[in-house]
Amino acid sequence: VNVIETERLALRQLTADDAEFIFGLVNEPSWLEYIGDRGVHTIDDARGYILNGPVTSYAQNGFGLYLTVLKDGGAPIGICGLLKRDTLEDPDIGFALLPRYWSQGYAIEAATAVMSHARTALGLKRIVAITAANNTRSIALLGKLGLRFERSLPVTDEKAPVSVYA
Ligand SMILES: CC(C)(COP(=O)(O)OP(=O)(O)OC[C@H]1O[C@@H](n2cnc3c(N)ncnc32)[C@H](O)[C@@H]1OP(=O)(O)O)[C@@H](O)C(=O)NCCC(=O)NCCS
């Protein structure tokens, strides 16, 4: 069942059957650099990541990260949706596509639809985003979405500083 549809994309809930795709996505160099190592080293780890992350969030929050697929052909291209982290007061938007699907406007198309779903279907008033301060593609996308830099989070390790947009 699609939660969100746009002109070119459908966003639907992830299930354990998407483990192979998620395994590839979370081990992309760009994911590891800008989002982090989720310790997903096997397809079984990926199943656990899906069940403990997005699937738990659908039940607890009524939203989560969704699988993003091309309507034309049905190929999965990435994930986009909302998260509720213990470390942030407000829900945040997240997105990641396989690199071969970058630069075609798919991420902004999915993220715009997620923002409007958050506002109209979920009634959320404030959405934030967190991004590594050197993630220029993500920051460009957040600007197009209308989110503005708000603050930097305290640096916790050797990684690039993390910025909060709202
Ligand atoms: C962040 C990420 C999703 C951005 O993807 P993206 O494809 O650059 O984002 P957009 O959808 O906004 O696409 C913009 C590009 O598409 C082009 N484009 C082509 N057709 C378009 C269309 N119909 N509409 C809008 N833009 C279009 C734009 O000109 C722009 O080109 P550019 O790459 O030369 O600047 C992607 O880089 C990614 O998955 N990164 C790894 C994971 C990550 O860092 N996630 C964020 C964590 S905070």
Side-chain angles (χ1 to χ4, degrees):
V1 177
N2 294 334
V3 179
I4 297 171
E5 274 192 47
T6 67
E7 193 187 333
R8 297 179 294 173
L9 305 172
L11 279 68
R12 67 153 172 85
Q13 290 193 355
L14 284 152
T15 75
D17 292 342
D18 300 310
E20 211 162 315
F21 175 77
I22 291 297
F23 174 81
L25 183 68
V26 306
N27 286 296
E28 280 289 339
S30 53
W31 178 293
L32 294 169
E33 177 175 359
Y34 294 122
I35 299 179
D37 188 346
R38 294 291 179 258
V40 175
H41 303 304
T42 65
I43 301 294
D44 222 44
D45 291 344
R47 254 179 233 118
Y49 170 84
I50 292 167
L51 295 176
N52 297 324
V55 169
T56 299
S57 178
Y58 306 145
Q60 276 180 359
N61 305 311
F63 56 72
L65 288 170
Y66 300 116
L67 186 72
T68 302
V69 308
L70 295 180
K71 286 209 287 200
D72 184 4
I77 66 168
I79 57 177
C80 184
L82 298 165
L83 300 97
K84 181 63 196 77
R85 301 174 206 261
D86 294 339
T87 49
L88 291 174
E89 196 176 318
D90 301 296
D92 63 293
I93 186 165
F95 36 76
L97 302 184
L98 294 177
R100 86 182 75 112
Y101 296 108
W102 294 4
S103 292
Q104 298 166 66
Y106 290 135
I108 185 71
E109 187 170 322
T112 301
V114 165
M115 290 297 279
S116 105
H117 177 79
R119 213 172 296 133
T120 55
L122 302 172
L124 298 170
K125 296 268 181 287
R126 193 176 130 88
I127 302 292
V128 302
I130 56 171
T131 180
N134 62 349
N135 191 348
T136 47
R137 281 187 171 273
S138 171
I139 290 166
L141 197 163
L142 294 173
K144 285 183 272 181
L145 273 186
L147 280 78
R148 296 288 171 256
F149 175 82
E150 197 168 80
R151 65 195 161 100
S152 296
L153 291 181
V155 178
T156 50
D157 53 25
E158 76 290 352
K159 284 193 163 288
V162 171
S163 306
V164 178
Y165 284 68

